[in-house]
């Protein structure tokens, strides 16, 4: 079952994808599977183990099932300050 | 008074105005931390930095962090401004100001905020080097 998802990219992911966000239809069941799909598509080098992920602006486990209409933000390693 | 605020700014910070705004009759101490752009990092010469942030994720995470700090230390107010965009050597990248009745909680809260902020807030830093190379910090 395909779900429509909005994805947001920051930092190195934004640069590699060449865009800040996109809306896509995916058969991926979890956010982890969605990232792996996009990783293949764009050639992201960051592994899931080095990142966090947020759904609707709240950090969630990578195995969270995707729901139609989810807004997914991938969070590369942070470095404020 | 029990306050905390976080702002992202894409323009240079007026640090004197930020400190000046932290006033109150119960304030006995103001601890300020400024993080500035340094020319050298890990032996490489840095020309400039870029910061990028996710505001809709940063603001709630700052709130959580501010609540943890207020639970631990007797402070009056806590404010933080973080730059985004392109920064030059010497620019202020992050400003933190904490007021308290006494110096110890002001220092401690200020220290905890900068230490935690670095690995908790969704803010990313890219360094541009003199040799033409560049890279996002913290990546494996």
């Amino acid at each position: 079952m395909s779900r429509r998802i909005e994805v947001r990219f920051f930092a190195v992911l934004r640069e590699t994808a060449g865009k800040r966000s996109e809306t896509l239809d995916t058969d991926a069941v979890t956010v982890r599977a969605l990232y792996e799909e996009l990783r293949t598509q764009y050639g992201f080098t960051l592994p899931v183990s080095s990142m966090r992920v947020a759904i609707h602006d709240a950090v969630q486990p990578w195995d969270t099932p995707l729901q139609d209409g989810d807004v997914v933000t991938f969070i590369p390693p942070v470095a404020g300050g | 008074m029990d306050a905390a605020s976080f702002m992202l700014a894409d323009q240079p910070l007026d640090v004197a105005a930020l400190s000046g705004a932290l006033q109150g009759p119960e304030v006995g101490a103001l601890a300020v931390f400024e993080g500035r752009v340094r020319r050298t990092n890990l032996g490489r010469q840095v020309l400039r930095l870029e910061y990028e942030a996710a505001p809709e994720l940063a603001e709630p995470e700052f709130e959580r962090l501010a609540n943890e700090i207020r639970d631990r230390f007797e402070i009056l107010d806590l404010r933080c401004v973080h730059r985004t965009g392109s920064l030059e050597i010497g620019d202020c990248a992050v400003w933190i100001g904490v007021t308290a009745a006494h110096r110890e909680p002001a220092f401690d809260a200020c220290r905890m905020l900068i230490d935690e902020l670095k690995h908790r807030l969704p803010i990313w830093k890219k360094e541009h080097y003199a040799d033409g190379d560049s890279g996002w910090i913290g990546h494996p």
Side-chain angles (χ1 to χ4, degrees), chain B residues 38-56:
Chain B
R38 193 176 60 233
R39 188 175 57 190
T40 312
N41 191 27
L42 301 173
R44 301 185 77 175
Q45 194 179 339
V46 176
L47 292 182
R48 64 184 183 87
L49 294 186
E50 268 173 69
Y51 282 99
E52 183 172 333
E56 53 288 311

Side-chain angles (χ1 to χ4, degrees), chain B residues 77-93:
Chain B
D77 200 348
L78 171 157
R79 297 185 189 179
C80 176
V81 188
H82 204 296
R83 277 296 311 276
T84 58
S86 187
L87 280 76
E88 308 289 326
I89 307 304
D91 283 354
C92 183

Side-chain angles (χ1 to χ4, degrees), chain B residues 106-120:
Chain B
F107 276 130
D108 291 346
C110 188
R111 175 68 189 255
M112 180 171 169
L113 181 52
I114 185 60
D115 287 352
E116 292 292 312
L117 171 155
K118 280 176 172 281
H119 62 92
R120 283 178 55 174

Side-chain angles (χ1 to χ4, degrees), chain A residues 8-12 14-15 20 46-47 50 52 54 57-58 73 75-81, chain B residues 51-54 56-57 82 94 117-126 136-140:
Chain A
R8 292 180 184 161
F9 301 117
F10 286 95
V12 73
R14 172 185 57 73
E15 283 188 344
R20 292 180 184 280
L46 284 176
S50 72
R52 289 179 294 164
D57 298 335
T73 306
I75 308 173
V78 302
Chain B
Y51 282 99
E52 183 172 333
E56 53 288 311
L57 294 173
H82 204 296
V94 58
L117 171 155
K118 280 176 172 281
H119 62 92
R120 283 178 55 174
L121 291 199
I123 296 172
W124 299 276
K125 173 162 61 180
K126 186 179 190 180
W136 292 93
I137 301 306
H139 288 194

